Amino acid sequence: MFTKASLNDLNKFDSYFKVSCFFISPPWFEERPKNLSTIAGSTVEFNCEAGGTPKPDVTWRRLDGKMPLERTQKRGEITLRISDVSVSDSGMYVCEAKNEAGSAVTLASLKVVVAPELKEKPGDSLLVVGENLVLKCRVEGDPLPLIVWKLPHKNENILLTGGQNSNHVSVSQNGSFLLINSIKIEDKGVYDCLGISSGGGVSSRAEVVVVESLPPPLIGIRPLDQEAEPDSIVSFPCEVASEASEAKIVWFFQKAAHLPAQQLSSKRTITQLQTGTLKIKQISEEDAGIYKCRATSKSGSVEAEAILKVVENVNDYGDRFSSSQALPAPPSKPRITFYNSTSVHLTWLPNSRGTNKETEFYKVEYWRAPWQEWRVAKAEVSETSSVIADLTPDTAYIFLIRTVNEIGESFPSPWSDMIYTSPIGSNGVSLEEERKMRRKLNKPSVALLSAKASSSSSVILSWELLEGSEVVLDGVIVYSVADDSSIETATVFGVSSMSHIVRDLRPNTQYTFFLIPFLRTIEGVPSNSKSLVTPEEAPEVAPTAISVEVFESGTTLVKWEPLKKSEARGNVIGYRVYISHNRTESIKETQNPWLEVQDLMEGRLYTIKVAAVTGGGVGPWSSPELINIAGIPPVGRQDSEDDNEEVPSVFYAPPHPVWLLYLLVPIIIFLIIVSLLYLRKIRRKSSSSSIDAQMGPTLYSSSGYGPTHQVNMYGEQKLWRPTDSDQDSSLSSARLLRTEHLANEYAEPRIQRLSDATEPYATTALLAPASPRNNRVPAAWRHDRCAEDIQVNWSALIPPPPTYPPPRITAEGADTCSSATTSESGERRHYHTGSSSQYDNNGGGSEQYERPCDTAAPGDMVSEHTYAVYVPVPQDGSHSADGFQTFSTLQANPYRKVKTDLLPTRGIQPPKICDISF
């Protein structure tokens, strides 16, 4: 709202007016109604809250116009309530919000289901081994309920649905009938019929007792001895109690105990009533004797007898005593309230027509298989309850009660329910407590809320306890029913957790889940069910039975067997076919289990593989199949000359040389490259050695600090060969700088022929010893540490080469020390030549070299090693200007030959090399 005012000349408000502005917006939904599913007869509510400016009006309607107005009411502005819903109320409901700016619409669905209802329940049964049993359980509902039968075995997983069977137990296709052929003792127990749908669940149970034989009949009212006058009427009662099977009564007459009995038939004076009573008229002396009543059924027979005496005078007491009207009335059916492995507690009620309560008492009788008669458990019981002990464990028993007074026994009570005593070691069961728990669990107490698939093999279930449940549950049993009627169970203890993950499910399979609550050993009413289909996965196997057909038109047909549903693990949406030739590959897709290929060429070998495709992915490829298009007669060609020839298999191909070429060619190329590289490396080494030889007499090939080539002092390549010790230490060349290491190290001379030109040589690699007068390092060793080049004083390191070769040794003195030379120092040296020596380069003798004599003359002082050396003769001008002997000056000086012992020089260290890092 805006206000505007105007002033006059006197600065007073003259007039004013107001302007109002409104903002409008179309409706939107702050809360949308949810889809609902409920059972018939319940009440549902839809909430729909809308916003907007101005505030919109909310209206409800049914999409098809069939709104149940009589059961519908609007609560407030946002809630629609429908009471007592029925199946006809299912449909779509529309919430519409409207204002001046526009309107908005939203939908919600209502699904009303009819809860399952038992129309026919299975009943308890008592059977003999070998008989057949049919249990019927009819359940109706919308949707149609799933009927599940739970068998009374120790294994809780034995459940059957429609069309299933287990050994001799089978279920009809609709699940309503359970048939047991040739029932066994092991089939005894409680059979549960469960009816489950999304609307809820119902259950009914039937107890089946199986015995080796049924209880035999027993005489309810026995005939009594009587005395009768001639021409009177006598009645012998004989009433039979037989609940297991129908019994037939037959009378026999025996004149005396030692005479045979005869069956009585109806005649003028003898009549048998429907109740089994025998009536005799016009009694005479011939009618006196023993009368027997025999009751026979499928389960056995029983007899009772009475004696008739014919006398003249009969007192009234005997006639009154013979009347069955004076017998007491039978009590009620006994109830079993507790039992264990060896005892049973029974209770019953007396008959209200009892004559004298003070004089009456009770008798307990019982039967168990395979007895042929009823026996007395307790003959006299004054109370209306009793504990029967000393029973056999895990055995079926039936009990009955009789009332006894001074006149006789009553007709037996109805038989009790047959029970099996507990096995040894089990706890006792209070049937009264069991009945109470069953009454509490007789109503639904658990509702299954949701079932969501978390993966292709697991589903998450969640549930809640219904309001009004009075019992505290011990847990629930989770049932999973697959579409093939297979059933799995899982037990969840406690009620603190209201969810469970069902695992190990099959992909792409429809499952129905429901719960059954339990308290101790008692199970309650099943919950409603939830159904879903698990997600798909890629197939776990590849297609099989791949075959190929080649037609005359050039078309190749590839076929294979489609996958089974259990193998596909999903809906197969197609197949992929892999075709390759050498390195040419292609993948083709098809929706059918076959493929026509047009572009295959004759004379080629192809590889074919097939894989199935589902919504979950591509499965594994099949084993490669080789097809040779060449050599396969086209399908359809009918050549008479080829009729008798065997058609080669489409999957056979002879060895093909192409693959061998692909393997050998790369190997050959690789070997050629390696050989070329090796030859190139050898050539580089050879050229490098020749260059070093042309550079003249130098110790090192460069100004570096270590030898790189073995070059002797004459500049010859490989004149000296290092010894084995030098090779190991890798310092053979460096030892030229260390005179103390050269005491016993020899150089091997080269082998020369007589025709070869004479070259300078040395018999040994020697270093000139240091002057004894100067133990200091020669001036030639001293150098600048950081000098760029190292200058070597050759005269201080190595001896000079000889000017002339040694004289030739004649053959006459080859085997003896034929000459001796005396050095300037006066020491005598002996020499000899031999055919072989350790100084030779080969096994043969040397004709050009002199060596120390292996043996000396007696009395001569010979050192360990004697050498022939050449020493220089000093002359003027033989030195360089700076006093440093060079290689050229060493060769120019004259030398003379002397004999000497060379001892290693100690204390002289090699020059230090400048430590320069590059």
Side-chain angles (χ1 to χ4, degrees), residues 715-867:
E716 295 177 339
Q717 179 74 16
K718 296 184 180 178
L719 183 60
W720 296 341
R721 182 168 58 88
T723 62
D724 294 338
S725 61
D726 293 333
Q727 294 177 0
D728 295 337
S729 63
S730 70
L731 296 174
S732 59
S733 300
R735 291 188 179 184
L736 292 174
L737 303 178
R738 301 187 182 183
T739 56
E740 67 273 17
H741 295 168
L742 301 175
N744 297 322
E745 187 169 335
Y746 301 97
E748 297 182 6
R750 267 191 330 166
I751 302 300
Q752 290 183 331
R753 299 182 179 88
L754 295 177
S755 61
D756 293 342
T758 303
E759 295 181 359
Y761 73 97
T763 57
T764 57
L766 300 177
L767 295 179
S771 176
R773 294 171 297 179
N774 188 11
N775 293 332
R776 295 176 301 171
V777 178
W781 288 115
R782 293 192 296 270
H783 63 279
D784 188 2
R785 184 175 180 83
C786 297
E788 294 182 359
D789 296 319
I790 297 177
Q791 296 179 352
V792 181
N793 190 344
W794 291 95
S795 62
L797 297 178
I798 58 178
T803 304
Y804 301 99
R808 181 180 300 272
I809 306 297
T810 59
E812 290 77 12
D815 297 328
T816 59
C817 291
S818 59
S819 63
T821 304
T822 304
S823 64
E824 295 179 358
S825 59
E827 295 178 348
R828 184 179 181 85
R829 302 291 181 258
H830 296 269
Y831 296 89
H832 76 280
T833 57
S835 60
S836 63
S837 174
Q838 59 176 338
Y839 301 94
D840 293 337
N841 287 336
N842 50 26
S846 176
E847 298 179 355
Q848 300 182 8
Y849 302 120
E850 234 180 88
R851 49 192 178 270
C853 188
D854 293 333
T855 59
D860 293 343
M861 298 179 61
V862 181
S863 63
E864 182 181 358
H865 298 284
T866 303
Y867 304 91

Side-chain angles (χ1 to χ4, degrees), residues 525-569:
V525 177
S527 69
N528 61 305
S529 64
K530 295 289 184 180
S531 299
L532 58 80
V533 178
T534 53
E536 299 181 55
E537 276 192 359
E540 61 180 354
V541 298
T544 58
I546 301 176
S547 61
V548 180
E549 295 182 12
V550 181
F551 295 92
E552 187 175 0
S553 61
T555 301
T556 302
L557 179 63
V558 183
K559 298 187 298 182
W560 56 88
E561 289 292 334
L563 296 182
K564 299 179 182 179
K565 183 178 180 181
S566 58
E567 299 173 341
R569 303 197 299 179

Side-chain angles (χ1 to χ4, degrees), residues 319-342:
D319 183 65
R320 180 174 60 83
F321 185 77
S322 63
S323 177
S324 62
Q325 299 296 330
L327 296 177
S332 65
K333 177 181 178 178
R335 296 179 58 189
I336 301 173
T337 60
F338 181 87
Y339 68 92
N340 56 23
S341 59
T342 58

